[in-house]
Amino acid sequence: MAEIKAILTILLLTLVSLVLIPLQWIAVKLNLPIQKNLPHIWHKIATSLVGIRIHQQGAPAPNRPLLIAANHASWVDITVVGSLMPLSFIAKSEVSGWPVFGLFAKLQRTVFVNRTRRTETAAVADTIAVRMAEGDAMVLFAEGTSNDGNCVLPFRSALLGAATRAAGGDQESGVWVQPLSIAYQGLFGMPMGRVHRPHVAWYGDMELAGHLWGIFKHGALDVAVYWGEPVRVEAATDRKVLTRHLEREVRALTMAALRQKPVERFDSDEIEASEFFSNAEKTAKAGA
């Protein structure tokens, strides 16, 4: 029965893709406004067909420009987040060459990053800054890789520099950066423990085809999406302090979601947040 469900899901999703892919290709080529909405529609249909139930806490910031800094456990994260609102992703350059996934990423106007060439980081950050300035909400999986779904890895600060670049030198302008936690809580309506969470997580040397089949076959996932408070970033903001603040915020949200308990923030988090805001204010005053 599970195999039949998986085959039907794949067939239906293929039919939807055959309709939406040509439309999105035309929209991107002609730079039509609908290019931001068609991927969102695809992700909403995909989550519904697979049986992914999303439980949101908080809401995405309405402010623009907006950079969303999230944790990352699986390729499923992309469909989950993509179903919430029109947005685009920042991904490693290898993704562009993946079968099917690479095509979808390009059609969603993903910005690709070559992590082996640090000299290109500034150029990529500028590209992201331009997209944000144009009103695109950009999603950065700030760990730089995926994990087993039971933790949050250290965030990397390099591409968060895109936020300060997008802010520009005008102190009146600013960019919003919002932490986002994605946590897999349940499978078939039952709580998902540490042992079963890697069923959803895709990391290390896992084979993509087998993992895809497993998700289509079993599905029925409960995902908690927790939005943190957006932070206003200026050109003078210290991106490393910002990175530590976002990492601790996402970790606190993720641990709360996995334990299904209230968010616990420690004194160190409050100190980190106050350090971020005080440093930003001091630097801004010094440059005035």
Side-chain angles (χ1 to χ4, degrees), residues 157-198:
S157 65
L159 290 177
L160 281 167
T164 56
R165 287 176 180 268
D170 184 0
Q171 292 185 18
E172 295 298 322
S173 63
V175 171
W176 295 91
V177 181
Q178 187 170 19
L180 174 65
S181 164
I182 308 163
Y184 295 91
Q185 294 180 321
L187 182 63
F188 296 114
M190 300 295 290
M192 186 187 301
R194 294 181 63 88
V195 175
H196 297 99
R197 202 161 284 121

Side-chain angles (χ1 to χ4, degrees), residues 18 53 88 100-101 116 148 161 170 178 215 248 264 273 278:
L18 289 175
R53 294 179 295 189
S88 292
V100 183
F101 274 77
T116 62
D148 66 358
D170 184 0
Q178 187 170 19
I215 294 296
R248 293 186 184 208
E264 294 182 3
S278 63

Side-chain angles (χ1 to χ4, degrees), residues 129-156:
V130 169
R131 290 281 299 276
M132 291 168 61
E134 292 174 347
D136 288 342
M138 302 297 297
V139 178
L140 171 66
F141 293 118
E143 294 160 297
T145 186
S146 55
N147 59 62
D148 66 358
N150 291 311
C151 65
V152 174
L153 301 175
F155 280 14
R156 298 184 178 183

Side-chain angles (χ1 to χ4, degrees), residues 152 226 247-257 262-265 269:
V152 174
Y226 285 10
E247 178 190 324
R248 293 186 184 208
E249 183 71 9
V250 171
R251 181 172 288 114
L253 293 171
T254 302
M255 292 303 105
V263 180
E264 294 182 3
R265 291 183 175 86
D269 296 325

